Amino acid sequence: MTFRQFAFNNVLRNKRLYAAYFLSSMFTVMIFFTFAVFAYHPALNSSDVNHNAQAALSTSKWLIYGFSFFFVLYSMSSFLKTRKREFGLLMLQGISPGQLRRMVFIENMWIGTGATIGGILIGLVFAKAILLIGENILVLDEKLNFYIPIQAIILTVISFLVLFVLISMFIAAILRSESLISLIRSQRAPKSEPRASIWLSILVIVLLAISYGVALLVDANLALQLLLPIIVMVSIATYLLFTQLSVYIIGSMKNRKSFFWRRTNMLLLSDLSYRMKDNARTFFLVAMVSTVSFCAIGTLYGLQALLVKSSTVETAASFPIAYTSMAGDATQSTNLQTIRQALSTAGIPSQEAHLALNQYKLKNDQTERIILSETAFNQANVLLGEQTVQLQGNQAVVITSSTARQTAEHQMLQKEVQLSNGVALQPTRVIFSQTIPGVSLALVVSDDLYKRLGTPASKADIYAWTTNASEKELIAVGKEMFSGDTFTQYGAYHILDFPSYTLYTVKSLYGIALFIGLFIGIVFFVSAGSFLYFRLYSDLDEDKQKFRSIAKLGLTERELNRVLTQQIALLFFAPIVVALIHGSIALTTLAHLFDAQLFTECATVLGIFFLIQLVYFFIVRFFYIKQVREALH
């Protein structure tokens, strides 16, 4: 057997321990490769939006690469701790320190090479599906057809082989400082009784109360300004939670004899405080990484929902195209001709409606109110297929386009509306309607009353078009109209409301951030789960020995399952629950900042992550209990 074969067999013998490390590394390689595939795709060279997507994806892959370095380094450090005794025995058998470092170097390179090749192959298998997903999220103009990503393959291979070489050299250098006696006695070193300070435990509650209180109760803008102090306090509190408060609670539970001696609680609590203390840094790391993951994806998903809701598709009129200008403006006829010509050139049949937006001053506060005639309003409603209104005398209908304001506008029904010219209007009902583009509040009166209103304080015109054209056709027309300087969606006098094109623009600009944030968040979450796996399986041999001894005293399989399930559940869900709480507070503050209801979006993101963790828990629990059972028999 050659030395390289010996190192390779070591990897196979420790496949249980290396499994999560290999799979997580392979997943990280796949994500990096995916970003590289997008960054080098020929279709991303055709427009400014696509160039922006290309640059963002290229930058993101290097962020993933930087995170991968620290992830691999932490993973290898965890493995070395579990194999110190093995290394000590090898040195007793005559292996030199240089050969030991060489063995670790070769082992890590075997795993790194396999993970790199596996990640690229999986990326190629799912490349078409990932390109389709990216095409929809990024809202690109061109199709992202499958291609052979030679550049992406070469870059991924070189980048990760360099990464694994650097990590292997770094780990080998660490082994220089380990003496033979420390390696042999690594698992026999006595553990001191974990101690927790009641004052530091109380500090955890105080810091979290202050942080959560500031985030939820004070003005959202002030909370944003205090973001850095809040992050520092939450970080300190999270670390002390696992090193102090958790140990203090476990100690209190052990002191309650009635609870400690009940069923299998003694087995669970006997060394739980040691485990919490030993795993404190891992728990802290997992909690913070998961919180960042939750907040990143939750924020991006919530903001996308908010932008879509606030786009013209949700808030503007139901007309697919609407043009607003001051009445009598010199360029109005030219702009109208441009719109009509664009629709005609695109072969889009349409029907046109005209609404005169005349504003009249109120008697008391001299503010202005938009008032429309019954005929003009009904003509627009007929085009949209909405119900018409019939009015008599001084009756008026309040039109609002916002469901949030509809209740408030009911107050207008309680009294007459007095105009400055002496005309009194009596609102009879409130109608929620999107007939009037860009107008959140207006009054509709009968034609006879409209003629008696006199000269308005200001005049504006709305021209709107209905059509059965597809969204794709409307987007194409919108690109043509907004390609020049004729129109602006937010101009003061010439406003072209184009809901389909506006939503397309919002999604295309925001899709890049959502796509990148989604993948980076997933990488963080998978890495956090891998950290937990590493810590759990580093204690497997100790658990085997402990339960093998306890089984001789009559421990049943049912009791064994209960104890191990509780033990694994605490390990898996303690940091995740903390991260979910941190994330929910942060996302709630975000919703307050934008004065929006994002409960559904936030609950969806956090719920999906929790379900993924739950599935991961059941898988790991199954194999862990299986390993312990096999040791008992």
Side-chain angles (χ1 to χ4, degrees), residues 333 335-345 352 463 465:
S333 59
N335 292 338
L336 288 173
Q337 183 61 31
T338 300
I339 298 173
R340 293 164 182 158
Q341 183 62 40
L343 292 173
S344 176
T345 303
E352 183 177 325
Y463 291 85
W465 291 264

Side-chain angles (χ1 to χ4, degrees), residues 533-559:
Y533 179 92
F534 301 153
R535 288 304 307 163
L536 176 66
Y537 272 86
S538 65
D539 296 327
L540 179 59
D541 292 334
E542 183 179 338
D543 279 347
K544 286 181 178 180
Q545 183 178 356
K546 179 179 70 175
F547 286 106
R548 188 184 297 116
S549 302
I550 297 176
K552 297 176 182 179
L553 302 177
L555 182 70
T556 65
E557 284 197 2
R558 183 177 180 182
E559 291 171 332

Side-chain angles (χ1 to χ4, degrees), residues 216-460:
L216 295 177
L217 301 179
V218 304
D219 181 75
N221 291 311
L222 179 59
L224 188 63
Q225 295 175 6
L226 298 174
L227 180 61
L228 183 58
I230 291 176
I231 291 176
V232 172
M233 286 192 293
V234 169
S235 300
I236 295 174
T238 304
Y239 183 76
L240 293 178
L241 171 66
F242 294 119
T243 59
Q244 300 295 323
L245 182 59
S246 61
V247 176
Y248 180 81
I249 293 175
I250 293 170
S252 301
M253 295 170 65
K254 291 170 68 175
N255 291 332
R256 293 178 56 188
K257 302 303 180 184
S258 59
F259 179 81
F260 183 70
W261 291 99
R262 184 185 306 168
R263 304 176 71 178
T264 57
N265 289 344
M266 179 176 63
L267 293 178
L268 176 66
L269 297 175
S270 59
D271 63 347
L272 186 59
S273 57
Y274 292 99
R275 287 178 180 268
M276 294 300 294
K277 199 83 169 182
D278 291 343
N279 297 327
R281 282 184 295 180
T282 301
F283 286 170
F284 170 73
L285 182 63
V286 170
M288 299 311 295
V289 168
S290 298
T291 300
V292 171
S293 179
F294 298 159
C295 291
I297 296 180
T299 299
L300 292 171
Y301 182 55
L303 286 179
Q304 186 201 39
L306 181 63
L307 289 173
V308 171
K309 288 177 182 178
S310 62
S311 68
T312 54
V313 171
E314 295 290 333
T315 59
S318 298
F319 290 100
I321 306 173
Y323 169 68
T324 305
S325 68
M326 299 300 294
D329 187 271
T331 60
Q332 185 186 84
S333 59
T334 302
N335 292 338
L336 288 173
Q337 183 61 31
T338 300
I339 298 173
R340 293 164 182 158
Q341 183 62 40
L343 292 173
S344 176
T345 303
I348 298 178
S350 61
Q351 290 181 292
E352 183 177 325
H354 172 238
L355 286 172
L357 297 184
N358 294 337
Q359 299 194 63
Y360 299 85
K361 289 187 177 181
L362 300 181
K363 182 177 181 180
N364 297 327
D365 53 12
Q366 292 297 303
T367 58
E368 297 180 356
R369 184 78 73 203
I370 296 175
I371 301 179
L372 289 82
S373 68
E374 175 187 330
T375 299
F377 181 73
N378 284 340
Q379 286 177 347
N381 274 359
V382 168
L383 287 180
L384 294 175
E386 293 191 7
Q387 186 177 0
T388 59
V389 296
Q390 303 293 330
L391 300 170
Q392 296 178 352
N394 69 337
Q395 292 180 347
V397 174
V398 179
I399 305 298
T400 175
S401 61
S402 172
T403 54
R405 295 182 56 179
Q406 190 172 357
T407 302
E409 304 309 335
H410 274 83
Q411 298 176 359
M412 295 182 62
L413 304 179
Q414 307 300 322
K415 55 183 179 180
E416 290 184 333
V417 176
Q418 297 285 340
L419 302 182
S420 60
N421 59 8
V423 177
L425 308 178
Q426 180 58 59
T428 57
R429 56 180 168 144
V430 176
I431 296 178
F432 171 70
S433 173
Q434 292 182 314
T435 302
I436 313 173
V439 177
S440 60
L441 179 64
L443 293 172
V444 177
V445 298
S446 65
D447 292 347
D448 292 336
L449 181 57
Y450 187 76
K451 294 176 182 178
R452 294 191 285 113
L453 296 181
T455 304
S458 61
K459 297 180 180 180

Side-chain angles (χ1 to χ4, degrees), residues 408-616:
E409 304 309 335
H410 274 83
Q411 298 176 359
M412 295 182 62
L413 304 179
Q414 307 300 322
K415 55 183 179 180
E416 290 184 333
V417 176
Q418 297 285 340
L419 302 182
S420 60
N421 59 8
V423 177
L425 308 178
Q426 180 58 59
T428 57
R429 56 180 168 144
V430 176
I431 296 178
F432 171 70
S433 173
Q434 292 182 314
T435 302
I436 313 173
V439 177
S440 60
L441 179 64
L443 293 172
V444 177
V445 298
S446 65
D447 292 347
D448 292 336
L449 181 57
Y450 187 76
K451 294 176 182 178
R452 294 191 285 113
L453 296 181
T455 304
S458 61
K459 297 180 180 180
D461 289 312
I462 291 182
Y463 291 85
W465 291 264
T466 58
T467 177
N468 293 325
S470 66
E471 185 176 353
K472 185 177 181 180
E473 292 174 320
L474 290 173
I475 291 174
V477 174
K479 289 179 182 178
E480 179 182 347
M481 290 184 183
F482 287 105
S483 60
D485 298 326
T486 304
F487 301 107
T488 172
Q489 289 170 292
Y490 306 103
Y493 301 106
H494 300 283
I495 304 175
L496 180 59
D497 287 322
F498 217 121
S500 297
Y501 179 74
T502 301
L503 182 60
Y504 164 80
T505 304
V506 169
K507 286 185 174 181
S508 62
L509 293 175
Y510 196 75
I512 300 173
L514 179 63
F515 183 80
I516 293 172
L518 179 65
F519 274 90
I520 292 179
I522 291 174
V523 168
F524 276 28
F525 187 70
V526 170
S527 301
S530 300
F531 293 155
L532 293 176
Y533 179 92
F534 301 153
R535 288 304 307 163
L536 176 66
Y537 272 86
S538 65
D539 296 327
L540 179 59
D541 292 334
E542 183 179 338
D543 279 347
K544 286 181 178 180
Q545 183 178 356
K546 179 179 70 175
F547 286 106
R548 188 184 297 116
S549 302
I550 297 176
K552 297 176 182 179
L553 302 177
L555 182 70
T556 65
E557 284 197 2
R558 183 177 180 182
E559 291 171 332
L560 173 67
N561 291 344
R562 183 190 303 122
V563 173
L564 288 177
T565 299
Q566 294 171 340
Q567 182 175 297
I568 299 171
L570 284 172
L571 176 70
F572 263 74
F573 292 109
I576 294 299
V577 169
V578 172
L580 288 172
I581 296 173
H582 290 345
S584 62
I585 297 296
L587 294 176
T588 302
T589 304
L590 175 72
H592 291 166
L593 179 65
F594 292 98
D595 192 22
Q597 295 293 332
L598 298 177
F599 175 80
T600 302
E601 290 77 13
C602 296
T604 300
V605 171
L606 298 179
I608 290 175
F609 274 113
F610 182 79
L611 287 177
I612 293 174
Q613 188 71 8
L614 190 64
V615 172
Y616 191 29

